[in-house]
């Protein structure tokens, strides 16, 4: 190596070394800072039926957004009573994203609900789906999905028992149950361990069958009518009696998961549930031959099922500005990205609440609900309009009735007392 070559080599090495010691440009520092900043979001998922699929969706989002870490807390099924959420909020440790059922709960939780009125999904929401979470002209929640419920029945077990005409009245339902039982088939999977199935879904049918449910609720609030002398509530108790008589043993210790397992495994022919159990059924019995029966409570033929928005995603108003922005981005990704939409429809089996999301593989339950919805054969989900605390007390009273600790008249009296107490509390 010549002297000059060696000299230039040393000079070049010095230049490289010195440049490595120089501070990064402002742009480079900014890029590194952005890459290093990780935002942790916490989400309270109330859908235990899709806990695994929801976690998979979150991981897919994290892969696309490496600076976002999402921690999911799934509740529901046996214990979605909001106790955990209330405790976290009280300890100033509430989740960044959680859910709200709308109506009175928007007012009750208003201090923790971020205004979402400017979000791009607003104009895509189906008509009236935002009404429950709209207060003073502002929207505070994004619809999870559209859901419906009734009696889900196993078509193959019906055929096995020789049942080819579906029951539309209570007496026809009782005759169907008798036929199933005589064929060695348990007619109903009854899981009454959780009070929401009784106090929300089942009792709602008595409200929905009123000539004008909204006016009836208003009259209850004003004290101008009573539950105790309303025939529809006597009817709903007769239906409850039917499910107990023709259901599995020990309904009060049969929880949500066990109940669904009884049905999905073919050990029971009917279950009072909604399309949200489709993923659970698919995991255990793919391609199960199932459909919906409207819930009959008397001799008036039932031809409609209850359909509503199940819940709304909300953003915690108390979270930091960075977390709120990240939370909104995640919600938008769910309803606008191809991957997010795919998870919602193909994995969660959700019926979309937005007109821009197409869904073709939701399963037979969702397909039937959409048929009822499109033909206008739907009942209102009224429990959102119940005064706060009445829903839970309704369910608890019905559990006491199932356990033979209350008779019919006492149960009706408990309904009325719970409503009066809750309505008086709400008015203050």
């Amino acid at each position: 190596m010549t002297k000059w070559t060696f000299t230039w080599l040393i000079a070049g090495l010095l230049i490289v070394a010195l440049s490595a010691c120089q501070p990064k440009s402002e742009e480079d520092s900014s890029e590194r800072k952005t890459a290093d900043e990780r935002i942790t979001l916490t989400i309270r998922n109330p859908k235990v039926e899709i806990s695994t699929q929801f976690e998979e969706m979150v991981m897919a989002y994290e892969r696309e957004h490496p600076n976002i870490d999402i921690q999911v807390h799934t509740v529901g099924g046996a214990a979605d009573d909001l106790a955990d959420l209330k405790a976290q909020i009280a300890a100033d440790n509430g989740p960044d994203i959680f859910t709200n059922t709308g109506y009175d709960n928007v007012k009750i939780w208003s201090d923790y609900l971020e205004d979402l009125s400017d979000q791009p999904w607003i104009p895509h929401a189906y008509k009236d789906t935002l009404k429950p979470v709209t207060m003073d002209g502002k929207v505070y929640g994004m619809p999870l999905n559209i859901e419906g419920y009734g009696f889900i029945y196993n078509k193959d077990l019906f055929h096995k028992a020789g049942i080819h005409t579906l029951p539309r009245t209570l007496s026809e339902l009782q005759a169907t149950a008798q036929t199933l039982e005589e064929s060695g088939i348990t007619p109903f999977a009854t899981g009454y361990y959780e009070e929401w199935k009784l106090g929300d879904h089942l009792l709602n049918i008595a409200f929905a069958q009123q000539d004008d449910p909204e006016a009836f609720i208003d009259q209850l609030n004003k004290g101008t009518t009573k539950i105790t002398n309303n025939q529809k509530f006597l009817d709903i108790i007769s239906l409850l009696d039917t499910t107990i008589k023709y259901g599995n043993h020990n309904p009060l210790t049969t929880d949500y998961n066990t109940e669904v397992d009884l049905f999905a495994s073919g050990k029971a022919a009917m279950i009072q549930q909604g399309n949200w159990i489709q993923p659970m059924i698919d995991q255990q019995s793919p391609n199960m031959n199932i459909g919906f029966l409207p819930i009959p409570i008397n001799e008036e033929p039932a031809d409609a099922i209850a359909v509503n928005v199940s819940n709304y995603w909300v953003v915690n108003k108390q979270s930091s500005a960075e977390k709120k922005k990240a939370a909104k981005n995640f919600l938008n990704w769910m309803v606008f990205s191809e991957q997010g939409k795919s998870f919602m429809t193909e994995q969660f089996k959700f019926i979309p609440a937005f007109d821009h999301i197409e869904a073709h593989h939701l399963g037979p339950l969702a397909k039937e609900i959409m048929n009822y919805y499109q033909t206008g054969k739907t009942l209102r989900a009224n429990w959102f309009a119940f005064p706060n605390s009445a829903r839970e007390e309704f369910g608890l009273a019905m559990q006491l009735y199932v356990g033979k600790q209350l008779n019919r008249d006492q149960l009706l009296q408990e309904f009325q007392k719970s409503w009066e107490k809750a309505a008086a509390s709400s008015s203050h």
Side-chain angles (χ1 to χ4, degrees):
M1 182 180 295
T2 66
K3 177 181 177 180
W4 288 109
T5 302
F6 180 77
T7 301
W8 281 109
L9 176 61
I10 295 299
L13 289 173
L14 285 171
I15 290 171
V16 171
L18 287 171
S19 66
C21 295
Q22 295 299 314
K24 293 287 184 183
S25 68
E26 186 176 332
E27 183 178 346
D28 290 340
S29 297
S30 176
E31 289 178 1
R32 168 175 279 185
K33 183 179 179 182
T34 301
D36 290 344
E37 281 182 349
R38 291 186 63 79
I39 297 175
T40 299
L41 290 178
T42 53
I43 298 178
R44 183 184 187 275
N45 168 36
K47 289 292 187 182
V48 67
E49 306 90 352
I50 57 163
S51 58
T52 300
Q53 298 94 324
F54 196 88
E55 292 276 4
E56 290 173 353
M57 182 184 72
V58 162
M59 288 189 288
Y61 185 79
E62 290 174 331
R63 286 193 293 270
E64 288 187 22
H65 304 80
N67 66 317
I68 303 294
D69 176 41
I70 299 178
Q71 299 176 358
V72 180
H73 173 51
T74 298
V75 296
D80 191 13
D81 59 359
L82 299 181
D84 64 309
L85 180 60
K86 292 173 183 175
Q88 291 169 3
I89 291 289
D92 198 27
N93 190 33
D96 302 300
I97 300 174
F98 54 102
T99 53
N100 188 282
T101 55
Y103 294 104
D104 281 352
N105 274 328
V106 172
K107 298 176 183 177
I108 293 169
W109 292 85
S110 60
D111 289 343
Y112 303 95
L113 305 185
E114 176 78 356
D115 180 7
L116 302 178
S117 304
D118 63 348
Q119 294 302 291
W121 44 261
I122 294 283
H124 293 284
Y126 283 126
K127 182 183 178 183
D128 296 333
T129 57
L130 300 181
K131 182 179 177 181
V133 286
T134 300
M135 184 172 65
D136 298 328
K138 296 180 179 179
V139 177
Y140 292 93
M142 185 181 88
L144 261 73
N145 60 356
I146 293 173
E147 291 183 342
Y149 72 91
F151 282 131
I152 302 171
Y153 73 105
N154 185 322
K155 296 181 179 181
D156 292 336
L157 290 183
F158 269 48
H159 292 156
K160 181 180 178 181
I163 300 167
H164 303 294
T165 301
L166 298 179
R168 300 183 61 209
T169 66
L170 181 59
S171 61
E172 290 174 357
L173 180 67
Q174 292 166 341
T176 295
Q178 180 69 31
T179 301
L180 287 164
E181 194 169 72
E182 290 171 353
S183 300
I185 301 167
T186 300
F188 294 98
T190 52
Y192 294 152
Y193 177 78
E194 298 87 13
E195 77 278 351
W196 55 263
K197 182 180 176 184
L198 294 166
D200 288 0
H201 293 176
L202 185 58
L203 196 61
N204 172 65
I205 302 300
F207 285 89
Q209 293 284 7
Q210 302 296 323
D211 293 335
D212 186 338
E214 192 169 354
F216 177 70
I217 290 173
D218 185 55
Q219 291 164 8
L220 282 176
N221 288 331
K222 292 177 179 177
T224 57
T225 193
K226 291 183 179 295
I227 290 174
T228 49
N229 55 16
N230 188 281
Q231 182 60 43
K232 303 294 185 183
F233 289 87
L234 280 169
D235 294 342
I236 208 71
I237 298 174
S238 296
L239 172 63
L240 178 58
D241 290 341
T242 300
T243 67
I244 296 169
K245 179 180 179 180
Y246 294 104
N248 51 271
H249 297 299
N250 305 314
L252 289 177
T253 56
T254 302
D255 66 10
Y256 178 47
N257 289 320
T258 305
E259 175 197 45
V260 175
D261 178 71
L262 285 171
F263 179 76
S265 62
K267 295 175 182 176
M270 290 179 281
I271 183 173
Q272 181 209 306
Q273 284 292 350
N275 64 297
W276 52 83
I277 69 169
Q278 185 76 63
M280 301 171 74
I281 292 174
D282 289 346
Q283 287 177 0
Q284 187 166 343
S285 302
N287 304 313
M288 192 174 182
N289 192 14
I290 52 180
F292 266 115
L293 292 174
I295 297 176
I297 63 174
N298 49 37
E299 294 313 294
E300 296 176 17
D303 64 351
I305 61 174
V307 178
N308 67 291
V309 172
S310 66
N311 233 317
Y312 294 84
W313 292 116
V314 296
V315 174
N316 193 338
K317 188 178 179 179
Q318 306 296 331
S319 296
S320 67
E322 292 79 12
K323 288 192 173 188
K324 287 192 287 188
K325 181 179 180 181
K328 293 173 187 177
N329 287 341
F330 174 72
L331 294 181
N332 280 303
W333 180 88
M334 273 204 294
V335 298
F336 284 115
S337 74
E338 291 305 315
Q339 199 161 20
K341 290 187 292 184
S342 175
F343 269 101
M344 287 181 66
T345 57
E346 296 182 20
Q347 301 297 319
F348 302 171
K349 305 296 184 180
F350 278 1
I351 301 174
F354 302 97
D355 59 17
H356 70 285
I357 302 177
E358 295 184 3
H360 304 290
H361 307 288
L362 302 182
L365 298 181
K367 183 178 180 181
E368 289 201 16
I369 285 172
M370 289 307 296
N371 287 337
Y372 279 103
Y373 184 76
Q374 290 167 356
T375 56
K377 294 182 178 181
T378 61
L379 299 174
R380 172 177 164 172
N382 298 277
W383 61 83
F384 299 124
F386 295 174
N388 197 36
S389 82
R391 294 165 58 182
E392 184 177 356
E393 291 193 8
F394 286 161
L396 293 173
M398 294 173 82
Q399 286 175 326
L400 291 174
Y401 176 81
V402 174
K404 301 186 184 306
Q405 293 173 271
L406 295 176
N407 60 33
R408 281 187 166 223
D409 290 339
Q410 290 170 329
L411 178 57
L412 292 172
Q413 291 291 342
E414 287 299 314
F415 288 159
Q416 184 61 33
K417 285 191 291 187
S418 294
W419 190 283
E420 290 175 357
K421 182 177 68 174
S425 176
S426 298
S427 64
H428 294 312

